[in-house]
Amino acid sequence: MTHARRASALDTISAYRERPLGHFIDGQSVDGGGTPFDVFEPATGDVLGQTRDASEAELNAAVAAAKAAFPAWAATPGSKRKAILHKVADLIVERAEEIAAVECLDAGQCWRFMSKAAIRGAENFRFFADRAPDAANGQALPSADHLNYTTRSPIGPVAVITPWNTPFMLSTWKIAPALAAGCTVVHKPAEWSPYSARLLVEIAHEAGLPAGVFNAVNGLGETTGKRLTEHPDIKAVAFVGESKTGSAIMTQGAATLKRVHFELGGKNPVIVFDDADLDKAVDAAVFMIYSLNGQRCTSSSRLLVQTTIYDSFVAKVAERVKKLKVGDPFDPASEVGPLIHQRHYDKVASYMAVAKDGGATIAAGGARFEGAGDGYFFQPTLFTGANQGMRIAQEEIFGPVLTAIPFEDEADAIAKANDVQYGLAAYLWTNDLGRGLRVANAVEAGMVWVNSENVRHLPTPFGGVKASGIGRDGGDWSFDFYMETKNVALAYGTHSTPRLGL
Ligand code: NAD
């Protein structure tokens, strides 16, 4: 079973392993030029294949294709866009197992999570497909002398730049609303996990998307990504990745006044008060940091626990952490797989010395996980005895690493929760309704879950404050980003226009 899925994933991408994976421009696969570079399999550390850093000419061709396709796609009736995007969703569902297996192979994510993530990709397409026919509708805002109404129109060709943690699902989240709005897209997936992006663009064309509407270029951030964000014909950049990359993209796009939407890093607190349902809180805290190999923007990477229950609660978490099943991502029993790349492994591992030097205790894990192969496996790790002043409490580690910190009371919990540069998500555990409401109000985060882990509901806004992002995804918020709003004022003929120069 395990090996059968890996073999099928290798089979799925076999065509792109015989030669470096190129780009998909104007409805066609473009092998072309550009410097090839290796893609590694996280579970084995072996070279899986190669992809190419797009040449400047290839990048320009992708943007030109998106520009040329824009007028017709923007003018395509919403009902037709809806039908095509539903077809994309149907094909994703048909190939969900295949897509999930490629994500396991390429991104090292565990089967138990990826099988659902591919289906979520299809749901993203369906959700925005259903809204395509009404995307242009605005508001009626009548005044005494004018009827004002607003309309929305797609902004133009947009860039979508995505990271490697859950590559397929995250790409659909951005690309589906852009296409539903009537924008054309140039997608640049992460260089460490390029394969599922190729499946998506091929599926979209099989579903009937016209050539040039959705293009995908591979390449490095500092070359291909940079050129894309600087290109004058790209009207907006939807970016998911690190905060410092978001800052670079803002600078790169400044000269051409790019609209930007950033979903960036996090150092999200899970705050556990002593009156909470502690068994459920343990489940949620463990799930939110150790699922997806800890490579999750909304992971609960800081565990803030009230002093009255700190020792017993943290002991329960430590017990669970030691029992997590680390192993082959294709094994349905595996709960934690390998990190994405040797460079990321080195970064995560470097925090063990940072923790010790800062005075924290490694209560679980702390070293390479042996016995799962030669890939980038790291033991699920728990730091205790930490405080907010330590780097392990401030910096995004983006691995299966949790930092536990005690707090005294509500005010202390809020102060500690907010004492980081980030503000993506926060999780609160309390059975005191008033306290839940007060803390939810006070915590600096774009999303707060009370007595829950991250359960995504597509109509709700997704995004962060502070260094965690700019803008929101989901529901109509996505259309606000991908569309321009126009106000039209029609006079009733009742007002008098000032007369000058008589
Ligand atoms: P990254 O910022 O290094 O790379 C993301 C993408 O940006 C890649 O495709 C990369 O090639 C590209 N890129 C890099 N430099 C660029 C540049 N100068 N110009 C244009 N493009 C450039 O991020 P990563 O390491 O791939 O992903 C992990 C990060 O993503 C974490 O910080 C995580 O929190 C964040 N993330 C955030 C969310 C969210 O919704 N807030 C979701 C997932 C991941």
Side-chain angles (χ1 to χ4, degrees), residues 161-165 170 173 188-192 219-222 225-226 229 239-243 245-246 248-249 252 263-266 296-297 396 398 424 462 468:
I161 302 181
T162 48
W164 40 258
N165 55 331
L170 277 178
W173 196 340
K188 195 206 84 62
E191 49 270 50
W192 288 349
L220 304 173
E222 53 272 25
K226 183 166 183 288
T229 56
F239 168 74
V240 186
E242 284 188 35
S243 302
T245 314
I249 289 176
Q252 291 158 197
E263 285 179 0
L264 310 173
R296 180 182 198 140
C297 55
E396 185 186 46
F398 217 56
L424 186 59
F462 185 104
S468 288

Tab-separated table of all heavy atoms in Angstrom, residues 161-165 170 173 188-192 219-222 225-226 229 239-243 245-246 248-249 252 263-266 296-297 396 398 424 462 468, ligand 1:
chain	number	residue	atom	x	y	z
A	161	ILE	N	2.047	33.835	-6.015
A	161	ILE	CA	3.343	33.254	-5.607
A	161	ILE	C	3.116	32.481	-4.312
A	161	ILE	O	2.619	33.042	-3.325
A	161	ILE	CB	4.398	34.366	-5.410
A	161	ILE	CG1	4.552	35.153	-6.719
A	161	ILE	CG2	5.736	33.770	-4.973
A	161	ILE	CD1	5.587	36.265	-6.675
A	162	THR	N	3.445	31.198	-4.334
A	162	THR	CA	3.054	30.326	-3.213
A	162	THR	C	4.250	29.593	-2.597
A	162	THR	O	5.275	29.397	-3.251
A	162	THR	CB	2.012	29.293	-3.703
A	162	THR	OG1	2.496	28.699	-4.916
A	162	THR	CG2	0.667	29.925	-3.953
A	163	PRO	N	4.103	29.149	-1.344
A	163	PRO	CA	5.165	28.428	-0.640
A	163	PRO	C	5.011	26.904	-0.786
A	163	PRO	O	4.131	26.430	-1.504
A	163	PRO	CB	4.959	28.858	0.805
A	163	PRO	CG	3.473	29.007	0.928
A	163	PRO	CD	2.959	29.401	-0.431
A	164	TRP	N	5.850	26.182	-0.051
A	164	TRP	CA	5.946	24.738	-0.243
A	164	TRP	C	5.219	23.922	0.825
A	164	TRP	O	5.235	22.708	0.778
A	164	TRP	CB	7.424	24.307	-0.246
A	164	TRP	CG	8.241	25.030	0.791
A	164	TRP	CD1	9.089	26.082	0.551
A	164	TRP	CD2	8.270	24.818	2.208
A	164	TRP	NE1	9.637	26.534	1.731
A	164	TRP	CE2	9.161	25.767	2.766
A	164	TRP	CE3	7.636	23.915	3.063
A	164	TRP	CZ2	9.430	25.849	4.132
A	164	TRP	CZ3	7.904	23.992	4.434
A	164	TRP	CH2	8.788	24.952	4.941
A	165	ASN	N	4.575	24.571	1.780
A	165	ASN	CA	4.106	23.740	2.912
A	165	ASN	C	2.890	22.875	2.576
A	165	ASN	O	2.890	21.687	2.895
A	165	ASN	CB	3.927	24.566	4.192
A	165	ASN	CG	3.017	25.752	4.030
A	165	ASN	OD1	2.912	26.318	2.954
A	165	ASN	ND2	2.355	26.123	5.091
A	170	LEU	N	-2.939	25.521	-1.101
A	170	LEU	CA	-2.716	26.966	-1.011
A	170	LEU	C	-2.837	27.645	-2.376
A	170	LEU	O	-3.327	28.769	-2.474
A	170	LEU	CB	-1.322	27.252	-0.435
A	170	LEU	CG	-1.217	27.207	1.081
A	170	LEU	CD1	0.222	27.462	1.507
A	170	LEU	CD2	-2.119	28.257	1.711
A	173	TRP	N	-6.482	28.134	-3.396
A	173	TRP	CA	-7.082	29.145	-2.557
A	173	TRP	C	-6.920	30.535	-3.174
A	173	TRP	O	-7.751	31.431	-3.011
A	173	TRP	CB	-6.308	29.061	-1.267
A	173	TRP	CG	-6.834	29.677	-0.070
A	173	TRP	CD1	-7.775	30.659	0.035
A	173	TRP	CD2	-6.419	29.340	1.238
A	173	TRP	NE1	-7.946	30.959	1.342
A	173	TRP	CE2	-7.131	30.177	2.101
A	173	TRP	CE3	-5.498	28.429	1.767
A	173	TRP	CZ2	-6.956	30.112	3.478
A	173	TRP	CZ3	-5.327	28.385	3.125
A	173	TRP	CH2	-6.063	29.210	3.972
A	188	LYS	N	3.657	31.297	-9.762
A	188	LYS	CA	5.003	30.775	-9.520
A	188	LYS	C	4.972	29.974	-8.225
A	188	LYS	O	4.895	30.521	-7.128
A	188	LYS	CB	6.049	31.893	-9.394
A	188	LYS	CG	7.459	31.290	-9.519
A	188	LYS	CD	8.548	32.067	-8.840
A	188	LYS	CE	8.714	31.774	-7.377
A	188	LYS	NZ	9.092	30.398	-7.017
A	189	PRO	N	5.008	28.635	-8.365
A	189	PRO	CA	5.031	27.819	-7.144
A	189	PRO	C	6.424	27.836	-6.502
A	189	PRO	O	7.389	28.294	-7.117
A	189	PRO	CB	4.689	26.424	-7.657
A	189	PRO	CG	5.123	26.415	-9.088
A	189	PRO	CD	5.016	27.833	-9.590
A	190	ALA	N	6.504	27.307	-5.302
A	190	ALA	CA	7.791	27.267	-4.593
A	190	ALA	C	8.760	26.326	-5.309
A	190	ALA	O	8.366	25.275	-5.831
A	190	ALA	CB	7.565	26.805	-3.162
A	191	GLU	N	10.012	26.694	-5.302
A	191	GLU	CA	11.026	25.916	-6.020
A	191	GLU	C	11.279	24.547	-5.382
A	191	GLU	O	11.787	23.640	-6.035
A	191	GLU	CB	12.342	26.703	-6.132
A	191	GLU	CG	12.873	27.318	-4.836
A	191	GLU	CD	12.360	28.740	-4.605
A	191	GLU	OE1	11.140	28.955	-4.708
A	191	GLU	OE2	13.175	29.620	-4.292
A	192	TRP	N	10.934	24.386	-4.101
A	192	TRP	CA	11.186	23.098	-3.440
A	192	TRP	C	10.055	22.086	-3.674
A	192	TRP	O	10.191	20.916	-3.306
A	192	TRP	CB	11.391	23.321	-1.932
A	192	TRP	CG	12.709	23.974	-1.599
A	192	TRP	CD1	13.765	24.167	-2.440
A	192	TRP	CD2	13.108	24.517	-0.332
A	192	TRP	NE1	14.791	24.796	-1.780
A	192	TRP	CE2	14.421	25.022	-0.486
A	192	TRP	CE3	12.487	24.627	0.922
A	192	TRP	CZ2	15.130	25.621	0.563
A	192	TRP	CZ3	13.192	25.232	1.969
A	192	TRP	CH2	14.497	25.719	1.777
A	219	GLY	N	10.716	28.505	-10.946
A	219	GLY	CA	11.933	29.287	-10.780
A	219	GLY	C	12.172	29.714	-9.354
A	219	GLY	O	11.371	29.429	-8.459
A	220	LEU	N	13.275	30.390	-9.171
A	220	LEU	CA	13.691	30.837	-7.848
A	220	LEU	C	13.014	32.163	-7.513
A	220	LEU	O	12.667	32.937	-8.415
A	220	LEU	CB	15.211	31.019	-7.815
A	220	LEU	CG	16.020	29.779	-8.212
A	220	LEU	CD1	17.510	30.110	-8.309
A	220	LEU	CD2	15.809	28.659	-7.186
A	221	GLY	N	12.916	32.414	-6.219
A	221	GLY	CA	12.281	33.657	-5.789
A	221	GLY	C	13.048	34.884	-6.229
A	221	GLY	O	12.475	35.849	-6.748
A	222	GLU	N	14.359	34.825	-6.038
A	222	GLU	CA	15.156	36.035	-6.273
A	222	GLU	C	15.330	36.375	-7.755
A	222	GLU	O	15.768	37.474	-8.084
A	222	GLU	CB	16.520	35.957	-5.561
A	222	GLU	CG	17.354	34.749	-5.841
A	222	GLU	CD	17.072	33.560	-4.913
A	222	GLU	OE1	15.954	33.451	-4.361
A	222	GLU	OE2	17.968	32.723	-4.771
A	225	GLY	N	10.673	35.027	-9.353
A	225	GLY	CA	9.682	35.686	-8.491
A	225	GLY	C	9.853	37.197	-8.539
A	225	GLY	O	8.873	37.945	-8.653
A	226	LYS	N	11.089	37.637	-8.478
A	226	LYS	CA	11.364	39.082	-8.478
A	226	LYS	C	10.892	39.716	-9.791
A	226	LYS	O	10.191	40.725	-9.788
A	226	LYS	CB	12.869	39.290	-8.260
A	226	LYS	CG	13.289	40.743	-8.171
A	226	LYS	CD	14.719	40.821	-7.623
A	226	LYS	CE	15.188	42.259	-7.441
A	226	LYS	NZ	15.451	42.946	-8.687
A	229	THR	N	7.133	40.091	-9.971
A	229	THR	CA	6.539	41.146	-9.128
A	229	THR	C	6.915	42.538	-9.627
A	229	THR	O	6.290	43.523	-9.243
A	229	THR	CB	6.985	40.996	-7.663
A	229	THR	OG1	8.415	41.001	-7.619
A	229	THR	CG2	6.473	39.714	-7.064
A	239	PHE	N	0.497	36.842	-2.544
A	239	PHE	CA	1.705	36.151	-2.089
A	239	PHE	C	1.448	35.441	-0.766
A	239	PHE	O	0.854	36.014	0.150
A	239	PHE	CB	2.843	37.166	-1.926
A	239	PHE	CG	4.036	36.604	-1.199
A	239	PHE	CD1	4.880	35.708	-1.834
A	239	PHE	CD2	4.295	36.935	0.127
A	239	PHE	CE1	5.974	35.157	-1.165
A	239	PHE	CE2	5.378	36.391	0.805
A	239	PHE	CZ	6.219	35.503	0.158
A	240	VAL	N	1.933	34.215	-0.669
A	240	VAL	CA	1.921	33.475	0.599
A	240	VAL	C	3.353	33.050	0.865
A	240	VAL	O	3.977	32.390	0.019
A	240	VAL	CB	1.024	32.219	0.518
A	240	VAL	CG1	0.920	31.555	1.889
A	240	VAL	CG2	-0.357	32.563	-0.005
A	241	GLY	N	3.884	33.427	2.001
A	241	GLY	CA	5.261	33.036	2.311
A	241	GLY	C	5.773	33.789	3.527
A	241	GLY	O	4.985	34.222	4.374
A	242	GLU	N	7.059	33.941	3.600
A	242	GLU	CA	7.677	34.540	4.787
A	242	GLU	C	7.494	36.053	4.826
A	242	GLU	O	7.436	36.711	3.782
A	242	GLU	CB	9.172	34.242	4.781
A	242	GLU	CG	9.488	32.823	5.167
A	242	GLU	CD	10.987	32.614	5.330
A	242	GLU	OE1	11.675	33.532	5.791
A	242	GLU	OE2	11.449	31.532	4.967
A	243	SER	N	7.496	36.590	6.031
A	243	SER	CA	7.292	38.038	6.199
A	243	SER	C	8.385	38.824	5.490
A	243	SER	O	8.111	39.849	4.846
A	243	SER	CB	7.265	38.388	7.686
A	243	SER	OG	6.237	37.659	8.311
A	245	THR	N	10.057	38.035	2.863
A	245	THR	CA	9.828	37.998	1.408
A	245	THR	C	8.707	38.961	1.041
A	245	THR	O	8.790	39.664	0.023
A	245	THR	CB	9.471	36.570	0.951
A	245	THR	OG1	10.373	35.649	1.546
A	245	THR	CG2	9.539	36.442	-0.552
A	246	GLY	N	7.670	39.035	1.876
A	246	GLY	CA	6.576	39.980	1.628
A	246	GLY	C	7.112	41.400	1.568
A	246	GLY	O	6.755	42.188	0.684
A	248	ALA	N	10.160	42.272	0.784
A	248	ALA	CA	10.934	42.434	-0.462
A	248	ALA	C	9.988	42.652	-1.646
A	248	ALA	O	10.239	43.500	-2.513
A	248	ALA	CB	11.816	41.207	-0.696
A	249	ILE	N	8.878	41.918	-1.672
A	249	ILE	CA	7.930	42.039	-2.792
A	249	ILE	C	7.289	43.425	-2.809
A	249	ILE	O	7.057	44.010	-3.868
A	249	ILE	CB	6.879	40.909	-2.726
A	249	ILE	CG1	7.558	39.577	-3.077
A	249	ILE	CG2	5.694	41.178	-3.653
A	249	ILE	CD1	6.682	38.357	-2.954
A	252	GLN	N	9.839	45.555	-4.419
A	252	GLN	CA	9.950	45.235	-5.853
A	252	GLN	C	8.752	45.771	-6.653
A	252	GLN	O	8.909	46.177	-7.801
A	252	GLN	CB	10.032	43.716	-6.046
A	252	GLN	CG	11.327	43.128	-5.526
A	252	GLN	CD	11.265	41.637	-5.214
A	252	GLN	OE1	12.120	41.143	-4.513
A	252	GLN	NE2	10.270	40.917	-5.720
A	263	GLU	N	-0.011	36.867	2.777
A	263	GLU	CA	-0.273	35.941	3.888
A	263	GLU	C	1.076	35.437	4.344
A	263	GLU	O	1.744	34.672	3.629
A	263	GLU	CB	-1.177	34.803	3.433
A	263	GLU	CG	-2.589	35.326	3.292
A	263	GLU	CD	-3.590	34.316	2.822
A	263	GLU	OE1	-3.210	33.166	2.586
A	263	GLU	OE2	-4.747	34.706	2.673
A	264	LEU	N	1.490	35.875	5.518
A	264	LEU	CA	2.890	35.708	5.917
A	264	LEU	C	3.023	34.809	7.146
A	264	LEU	O	2.166	33.978	7.411
A	264	LEU	CB	3.489	37.101	6.149
A	264	LEU	CG	3.244	38.098	4.987
A	264	LEU	CD1	3.698	39.496	5.353
A	264	LEU	CD2	3.935	37.638	3.711
A	265	GLY	N	4.099	34.992	7.859
A	265	GLY	CA	4.438	34.077	8.949
A	265	GLY	C	3.570	34.256	10.189
A	265	GLY	O	2.732	35.151	10.269
A	266	GLY	N	3.807	33.395	11.168
A	266	GLY	CA	3.067	33.484	12.427
A	266	GLY	C	3.863	32.917	13.586
A	266	GLY	O	4.847	32.183	13.397
A	296	ARG	N	3.190	24.912	9.090
A	296	ARG	CA	1.820	25.396	8.934
A	296	ARG	C	1.784	26.818	9.459
A	296	ARG	O	2.194	27.077	10.586
A	296	ARG	CB	0.935	24.484	9.784
A	296	ARG	CG	-0.491	24.803	9.769
A	296	ARG	CD	-1.199	23.815	10.710
A	296	ARG	NE	-2.596	23.802	10.415
A	296	ARG	CZ	-3.358	22.702	10.408
A	296	ARG	NH1	-2.856	21.538	10.697
A	296	ARG	NH2	-4.618	22.783	10.133
A	297	CYS	N	1.266	27.747	8.630
A	297	CYS	CA	1.296	29.158	9.040
A	297	CYS	C	0.456	29.381	10.282
A	297	CYS	O	0.783	30.210	11.115
A	297	CYS	CB	0.833	30.047	7.905
A	297	CYS	SG	-0.784	29.578	7.270
A	396	GLU	N	9.576	32.541	14.143
A	396	GLU	CA	8.832	31.445	13.521
A	396	GLU	C	9.830	30.339	13.154
A	396	GLU	O	10.722	30.546	12.329
A	396	GLU	CB	8.106	31.938	12.267
A	396	GLU	CG	7.225	30.862	11.656
A	396	GLU	CD	6.594	31.272	10.332
A	396	GLU	OE1	7.305	31.825	9.472
A	396	GLU	OE2	5.390	31.020	10.147
A	398	PHE	N	8.788	27.112	12.215
A	398	PHE	CA	8.127	26.433	11.089
A	398	PHE	C	8.502	24.953	10.996
A	398	PHE	O	8.745	24.412	9.919
A	398	PHE	CB	8.438	27.161	9.769
A	398	PHE	CG	7.256	27.184	8.827
A	398	PHE	CD1	6.033	27.705	9.210
A	398	PHE	CD2	7.363	26.681	7.539
A	398	PHE	CE1	4.938	27.732	8.347
A	398	PHE	CE2	6.271	26.690	6.661
A	398	PHE	CZ	5.068	27.223	7.071
A	424	LEU	N	-1.157	36.328	13.249
A	424	LEU	CA	-1.985	35.587	12.284
A	424	LEU	C	-3.216	34.982	12.980
A	424	LEU	O	-4.332	35.405	12.772
A	424	LEU	CB	-1.146	34.514	11.580
A	424	LEU	CG	-1.846	33.761	10.448
A	424	LEU	CD1	-2.319	34.709	9.355
A	424	LEU	CD2	-0.917	32.712	9.846
A	462	PHE	N	-9.763	35.170	6.009
A	462	PHE	CA	-8.534	34.501	6.437
A	462	PHE	C	-7.378	35.464	6.202
A	462	PHE	O	-7.195	35.970	5.102
A	462	PHE	CB	-8.317	33.226	5.614
A	462	PHE	CG	-7.127	32.413	6.069
A	462	PHE	CD1	-7.305	31.254	6.813
A	462	PHE	CD2	-5.835	32.820	5.768
A	462	PHE	CE1	-6.211	30.513	7.245
A	462	PHE	CE2	-4.738	32.084	6.202
A	462	PHE	CZ	-4.929	30.919	6.938
A	468	SER	N	2.127	39.483	10.009
A	468	SER	CA	1.538	38.259	9.448
A	468	SER	C	0.754	38.481	8.173
A	468	SER	O	0.285	37.510	7.574
A	468	SER	CB	0.629	37.578	10.482
A	468	SER	OG	1.426	37.001	11.491
B	1	NAD	P1	9.290	32.097	1.097
B	1	NAD	O1	8.856	33.492	1.409
B	1	NAD	O2	10.723	31.777	1.198
B	1	NAD	O3	8.854	31.679	-0.371
B	1	NAD	C1	7.511	31.744	-0.808
B	1	NAD	C2	7.498	31.974	-2.302
B	1	NAD	O4	8.056	33.244	-2.582
B	1	NAD	C3	8.319	30.969	-3.100
B	1	NAD	O5	7.624	30.649	-4.285
B	1	NAD	C4	9.593	31.733	-3.403
B	1	NAD	O6	10.247	31.304	-4.551
B	1	NAD	C5	9.046	33.135	-3.586
B	1	NAD	N1	10.031	34.211	-3.399
B	1	NAD	C6	11.127	34.212	-2.606
B	1	NAD	N2	11.773	35.393	-2.716
B	1	NAD	C7	11.068	36.158	-3.599
B	1	NAD	C8	11.228	37.466	-4.111
B	1	NAD	N3	12.233	38.243	-3.746
B	1	NAD	N4	10.314	37.922	-4.997
B	1	NAD	C9	9.255	37.164	-5.370
B	1	NAD	N5	9.067	35.904	-4.920
B	1	NAD	C10	9.950	35.409	-4.026
B	1	NAD	O7	8.396	31.174	2.047
B	1	NAD	P2	8.527	29.586	2.213
B	1	NAD	O8	9.732	29.307	3.041
B	1	NAD	O9	8.340	28.952	0.894
B	1	NAD	O10	7.209	29.266	3.061
B	1	NAD	C11	7.133	29.300	4.439
B	1	NAD	C12	6.515	30.611	4.940
B	1	NAD	O11	5.209	30.773	4.389
B	1	NAD	C13	6.336	30.650	6.438
B	1	NAD	O12	6.759	31.888	6.923
B	1	NAD	C14	4.833	30.499	6.624
B	1	NAD	O13	4.314	31.027	7.820
B	1	NAD	C15	4.324	31.205	5.427
B	1	NAD	N6	2.951	30.806	5.130
B	1	NAD	C16	1.946	31.680	5.427
B	1	NAD	C17	0.614	31.320	5.211
B	1	NAD	C18	-0.511	32.259	5.560
B	1	NAD	O14	-1.631	32.008	5.129
B	1	NAD	N7	-0.271	33.319	6.321
B	1	NAD	C19	0.323	30.060	4.682
B	1	NAD	C20	1.381	29.183	4.399
B	1	NAD	C21	2.698	29.576	4.628
